[in-house]
Amino acid sequence: MWPIRGADAVVFAAGSNGGARAITDAIDVRAVERCLVAAESADVRRFVLVSVSPEAWRERHLSDDEDYYFAAKKTVEVHVTRSALDWLILRPSLLTDGPGEGRVFLGPAAEHHQISRHDVADVLAELLRHPTLSRRILELDRGSTPIIEAVGACVPA
């Protein structure tokens, strides 16, 4: 019944990107909630959510739908942190389609610039290699530290 049974983790990385409220609700709220339930039902203990930097787009005027998007992302983060799962939330800066640089800043608070989707994917892959890295919110931005080192610095001793 649950195709994810036996998986080490569920990673939710979809996002509506601040479109119409109905789309935001469907993708950024209900789909995350359904994946949380699916993970719990399939006994997959680790859940990684790719969210959004709270500062993203704050330098410009946001439409009501975009503002709603950020509020929805925050609401779902709270829901994830209150789950019984071994969760991790990654908040990347503004995503770009350019090539990855292999160097990032990763920590509890980051300045908001931009980062390539390629670097975000590489950071996710490295985070998944460290199951002791849990129940944390990490912010991600372009930076000067190689990805393996940046993730390693966040892993508890």
Side-chain angles (χ1 to χ4, degrees):
M1 178 175 183
W2 297 105
I4 60 174
R5 189 173 302 283
D8 293 329
V10 169
V11 177
F12 190 95
S16 68
N17 205 26
R21 289 180 185 208
I23 294 170
T24 295
D25 283 339
I27 296 171
D28 299 299
V29 179
R30 289 192 308 273
V32 173
E33 291 170 349
R34 288 188 357 236
C35 284
L36 282 170
V37 169
E40 289 171 345
S41 298
D43 295 323
V44 177
R45 301 308 315 150
R46 195 158 187 217
F47 189 88
V48 180
L49 174 67
V50 178
S51 190
V52 65
S53 170
E55 289 81 27
W57 295 354
R58 297 302 179 183
E59 69 278 1
R60 65 183 191 180
H61 174 74
L62 297 177
S63 70
D64 289 343
D65 285 341
E66 290 167 332
D67 198 46
Y68 182 80
Y69 166 79
F70 285 99
K73 286 292 209 181
K74 178 65 176 190
T75 297
V76 85
E77 284 185 6
V78 170
H79 191 77
V80 168
T81 64
R82 292 182 180 167
S83 76
L85 297 174
D86 178 17
W87 55 266
L88 182 64
I89 296 172
L90 183 64
R91 292 177 172 166
S93 289
L94 179 67
L95 300 175
T96 67
D97 292 326
E101 298 177 12
R103 296 179 174 275
V104 299
F105 174 86
L106 180 68
E111 292 191 28
H112 168 65
H113 297 103
Q114 60 186 14
I115 188 164
S116 74
R117 286 177 171 84
H118 185 87
D119 281 337
V120 174
D122 287 347
V123 167
L124 280 168
E126 188 61 26
L127 288 169
L128 289 168
R129 294 172 37 102
H130 299 278
T132 60
L133 189 54
S134 68
R135 296 190 169 268
R136 304 240 339 248
I137 298 173
L138 296 172
E139 295 189 358
L140 177 63
D141 195 41
R142 66 180 184 222
S144 59
T145 306
I147 289 171
I148 291 173
E149 291 177 28
V151 171
C154 295
V155 175

